[in-house]
């Protein structure tokens, strides 16, 4: 009889432990959770799951729901999630400190342009009512610089002879291929389709076609092949001269 009683007690203890564990507050980040690559300045969505988190507390502890609490003249204090960005294990940005508690959540975040590129970032989601309840990205994710181009030559004031060969120079970030176009008085004047996309290695040797006309209102435009809205042009006009004229 005693053995049967002990067995029942053990079963009850196991069942209680299982139930208690299932009621433990938890947060689990799903995105970013490692290996993501997000561009600085872009808008991304952080996702997480949570369970057994109270959305708030009533001044009358017998009232578990906000509408009942407030309808009875009591004060409801909401609980929130705070979301932070970590780099190299240290917090660098508070993304939000007032995210509503719910079973599954998401937050749209525009990544500040003040952040630096790096591959050692993590996101932390924390329960305001108990900071020991939190989760962080399992592995690091990456923030990358947005693509950019800067034309350095010709950048204004140059005099290039028609028919001669000159080097167009530019610097770029996160750009693989570019297209180079010649503008005159603010309008596209010359682009050789046969040249196609050019590897963005920072320089291109250009033999100026003899069909072009002389003028002092030219600019070079270097644009990203995958996204022509990413480009740069000569800061000021340069000149093409016709050496055949006397």
């Amino acid at each position: 009889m005693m053995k049967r009683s002990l067995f029942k007690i053990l079963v009850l203890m196991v069942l209680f432990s299982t139930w208690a564990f299932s009621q433990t507050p938890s947060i689990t980040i799903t995105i970013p959770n490692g290996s993501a690559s997000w561009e600085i300045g872009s808008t991304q969505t952080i996702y997480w799951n949570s369970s057994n988190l109270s959305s708030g507390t009533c001044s009358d502890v017998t009232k578990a729901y906000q509408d009942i609490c407030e309808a009875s003249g009591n004060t409801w204090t909401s609980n929130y999630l705070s979301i932070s960005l970590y780099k190299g294990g240290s917090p660098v940005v508070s993304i939000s400190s007032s995210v509503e508690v719910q079973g599954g959540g998401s937050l749209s975040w525009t990544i500040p342009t003040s952040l630096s590129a790096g591959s050692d970032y993590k996101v932390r989601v924390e329960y305001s009512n108990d900071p020991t309840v939190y989760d962080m990205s399992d592995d690091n994710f990456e923030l990358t610089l947005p693509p950019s181009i800067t034309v350095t030559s010709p950048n204004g004031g140059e005099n290039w002879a028609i028919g001669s060969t000159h080097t167009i120079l530019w610097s770029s970030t996160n750009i693989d291929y570019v297209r180079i176009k010649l503008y005159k008085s603010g309008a596209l004047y010359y682009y050789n389709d046969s040249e196609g996309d050019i590897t963005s290695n920072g320089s291109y040797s250009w033999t100026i076609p003899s069909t072009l006309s002389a003028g002092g209102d030219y600019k070079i435009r270097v644009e990203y092949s995958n996204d022509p809205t990413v480009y740069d042009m000569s800061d000021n006009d340069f000149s093409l001269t016709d050496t055949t004229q006397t």
Side-chain angles (χ1 to χ4, degrees):
M1 182 65 113
M2 178 176 264
K3 289 183 178 179
R4 292 178 64 184
S5 297
L6 287 173
F7 177 75
K8 288 181 179 179
I9 292 171
L10 287 171
V11 170
L12 289 172
M13 289 177 65
V14 170
L15 291 173
F16 178 79
S17 297
T18 302
W19 175 84
F21 179 78
S22 68
Q23 303 304 306
T24 301
S26 68
I27 299 171
T28 304
I29 294 174
T30 55
I31 297 175
N33 208 30
S35 76
S37 182
W38 289 355
E39 185 180 294
I40 294 170
S42 67
T43 299
Q44 305 290 337
T45 303
I46 300 167
Y47 292 94
W48 66 91
N49 294 318
S50 62
S51 60
N52 302 314
L53 302 182
S54 170
S55 61
T57 54
C58 184
S59 54
D60 179 353
V61 294
T62 64
K63 307 293 190 299
Y65 299 98
Q66 183 175 0
D67 54 348
I68 297 175
C69 172
E70 293 177 339
S72 58
N74 294 289
T75 301
W76 179 266
T77 303
S78 296
N79 294 328
Y80 296 98
L81 297 176
S82 63
I83 303 178
S84 302
L85 180 70
Y86 278 63
K87 178 176 172 60
S90 300
V92 290
V93 169
S94 173
I95 298 173
S96 179
S97 59
S98 57
V99 180
E100 291 185 2
V101 172
Q102 50 188 329
S106 64
L107 179 71
S108 179
W109 177 47
T110 299
I111 302 171
T113 56
S114 57
L115 292 175
S116 58
S119 57
D120 55 347
Y121 285 99
K122 289 186 176 184
V123 161
R124 173 180 171 125
V125 180
E126 179 182 297
Y127 185 34
S128 65
N129 198 44
D130 182 359
T132 65
V133 179
Y134 72 92
D135 190 37
M136 293 187 74
S137 308
D138 289 344
D139 295 301
N140 293 325
F141 68 96
E142 180 182 32
L143 293 185
T144 62
L145 292 172
S148 65
I149 298 171
T150 303
V151 174
T152 55
S153 180
N155 208 32
E158 295 86 352
N159 286 283
W160 289 359
I162 294 171
S164 65
T165 299
H166 289 271
T167 302
I168 298 169
L169 299 174
W170 70 93
S171 60
S172 64
T173 301
N174 293 331
I175 300 283
D176 47 5
Y177 291 96
V178 297
R179 293 172 185 156
I180 301 177
K181 300 178 179 180
L182 180 67
Y183 277 65
K184 180 177 173 61
S185 296
L188 178 63
Y189 182 72
Y190 174 80
Y191 171 63
N192 188 351
D193 289 323
S194 65
E195 293 174 346
D197 296 340
I198 299 168
T199 302
S200 186
N201 58 10
S203 67
Y204 179 71
S205 181
W206 181 45
T207 298
I208 302 170
S210 58
T211 55
L212 298 183
S213 59
D217 54 352
Y218 285 101
K219 288 185 177 182
I220 285 290
R221 170 178 167 133
V222 180
E223 66 184 31
Y224 185 21
S225 298
N226 291 343
D227 182 1
T229 65
V230 178
Y231 71 92
D232 189 40
M233 296 185 73
S234 309
D235 289 344
N236 297 293
D237 293 333
F238 70 97
S239 299
L240 295 184
T241 57
D242 188 353
T243 58
T244 63
Q245 293 183 352
T246 58

